[in-house]
Amino acid sequence: MIVKRRKMDATIPAMAMGDIAFLLLIFFVILARARDDSHLQWKPAPGQELSRPQTMNASVVIDKYNVTYLNGREIPAVSLGEALKKILGENPAGRRTVMFKVHHEVTAVYFEPVIEAISEAGGELHHILKEEKKRQ
Amino acid sequence: MNLKRTKLLVEPPATATSDIAFILIVFFLVCASVEPDKGRAQVLPRSEPEKEKDKQSQTIEVELTRTAVILNGNPLAAERFARAIALKLADKTRDEDRIVAVKSRKEVPYSHWMQVTGIIEDAGGVITLQIEEEETVVVQ
């Protein structure tokens, strides 16, 4: 007597694919940090041996039009110090990091008063630069 | 005679949802701008009153022009400046002796400023900014 072998179905359940994809989507959206200064136009200056700051408490940008922004909002350099003091509050050392993003062609007349204001507010400066390979 | 109505399939095709979701993932990834977040930390001492500054008689002074560096009055190229500042700071052990006052002209670009201050910090110097305060004088 010949017994016919039953054919096994080995298809991947396509219904689950949608769920997996949406879970991935949620994962990426949660991981994405809200950057409210991504619309600003600036090119970083080159630098070597760069490091990533451990905390980011405020972000100061000077764009290619020499305009200063604090956390994505335009602010006159004169009132930057006071605004930073409010943001940094009584944070302990190590939690007062100010990300400083300056367009590489901005001149000292614009960026030096901003550095001074950050320093006066007790901010810990972290210049954001572009990695430049070492010349051999 | 009764005719039986055929049932129409109204359920949306579920297999398309995975494609939609993957297209959305690709959209978000492409839209996400790759912003630089690496850089260099810089410690700047808080500004001091003039009386305090007078005590530091041995402060090294560096002046920046648009393209050049002037160390204690001598203009130097970047490589020579690195050697000269390292030599000047080599024998200084106290933090207050390692202070380097950086004075920049108005037209100095940020990239040049970062390059020079990077050299000073690599040599062990502590940077302070020397900024001229603007004063309005009313002439009568």
Side-chain angles (χ1 to χ4, degrees):
Chain A
M1 190 178 77
I2 298 166
V3 179
K4 277 190 180 174
R5 183 178 283 180
R6 191 186 288 173
K7 275 189 180 173
M8 300 288 281
D9 246 5
T11 51
I12 301 163
M15 287 293 285
M17 293 290 280
D19 301 336
I20 295 164
F22 274 113
L23 281 175
L24 275 171
L25 194 65
I26 292 162
F27 171 76
F28 280 118
V29 169
I30 289 170
L31 272 193
R33 260 175 290 170
R35 290 179 198 278
D36 40 16
D37 57 10
S38 55
H39 61 287
L40 303 175
Q41 293 185 337
W42 68 285
K43 266 189 179 178
Q48 289 172 351
E49 292 170 20
L50 308 181
S51 62
R52 204 167 264 130
Q54 294 196 334
T55 55
M56 297 174 202
N57 303 92
S59 160
V60 175
V61 181
I62 305 178
D63 71 357
K64 67 177 187 179
Y65 306 109
N66 302 319
V67 182
T68 308
Y69 298 85
L70 172 62
N71 289 340
R73 286 189 181 177
E74 194 178 330
I75 188 165
V78 189
S79 47
L80 179 69
E82 283 303 312
L84 264 175
K85 273 180 192 169
K86 277 182 192 167
I87 291 171
L88 298 174
E90 297 296 314
N91 286 8
R95 294 200 166 272
R96 307 181 69 86
T97 309
V98 178
M99 306 261 283
F100 192 43
K101 305 169 182 181
V102 184
H103 183 64
H104 66 117
E105 284 173 346
V106 168
T107 51
V109 70
Y110 295 104
F111 69 76
E112 275 197 337
V114 174
I115 292 176
E116 193 190 14
I118 295 169
S119 177
E120 281 296 309
E124 291 160 3
L125 256 181
H126 200 101
H127 297 267
I128 301 301
L129 306 170
K130 186 182 165 191
E131 187 80 57
E132 183 191 45
K133 283 178 185 171
K134 277 187 180 178
R135 286 176 202 160
Q136 299 210 342
Chain B
M1 191 177 79
N2 285 339
L3 283 174
K4 273 191 181 177
R5 184 177 284 178
T6 50
K7 275 190 180 175
L8 288 167
L9 185 71
V10 286
E11 198 179 318
T15 46
T17 54
S18 62
D19 299 335
I20 296 163
F22 275 112
I23 285 166
L24 278 170
I25 289 175
V26 173
F27 171 77
F28 278 113
L29 286 178
V30 170
C31 278
S33 58
V34 187
E35 281 231 342
D37 59 352
K38 276 183 166 185
R40 210 175 67 216
Q42 192 171 55
V43 180
L44 289 172
R46 289 198 180 197
S47 62
E48 298 162 347
E50 285 297 318
K51 282 178 189 174
E52 290 278 321
K53 278 182 185 171
D54 293 342
K55 287 178 188 172
Q56 299 156 2
S57 55
Q58 295 295 312
T59 304
I60 301 165
E61 284 191 6
V62 174
E63 194 181 343
L64 297 183
T65 64
R66 188 165 176 83
T67 51
V69 193
I70 302 164
L71 175 63
N72 289 343
N74 302 318
L76 298 169
E79 280 181 19
R80 280 192 64 199
F81 171 73
R83 269 180 272 146
I85 196 87
L87 267 173
K88 279 201 178 288
L89 291 166
D91 57 337
K92 303 203 169 169
T93 48
R94 294 188 311 161
D95 272 355
E96 52 266 40
D97 294 333
R98 302 175 81 88
I99 289 174
V100 179
V102 178
K103 190 181 177 184
S104 311
R105 292 194 189 163
K106 285 180 180 178
E107 70 275 11
V108 174
Y110 179 70
S111 51
H112 180 50
W113 191 88
M114 279 310 295
Q115 188 199 357
V116 174
T117 53
I119 291 170
I120 296 167
E121 283 179 323
D122 289 345
V126 178
I127 289 163
T128 56
L129 298 187
Q130 215 174 340
I131 300 173
E132 282 178 21
E133 284 180 18
E134 279 185 21
E135 200 176 330
T136 314
V137 180
V138 182
V139 182
Q140 290 179 336

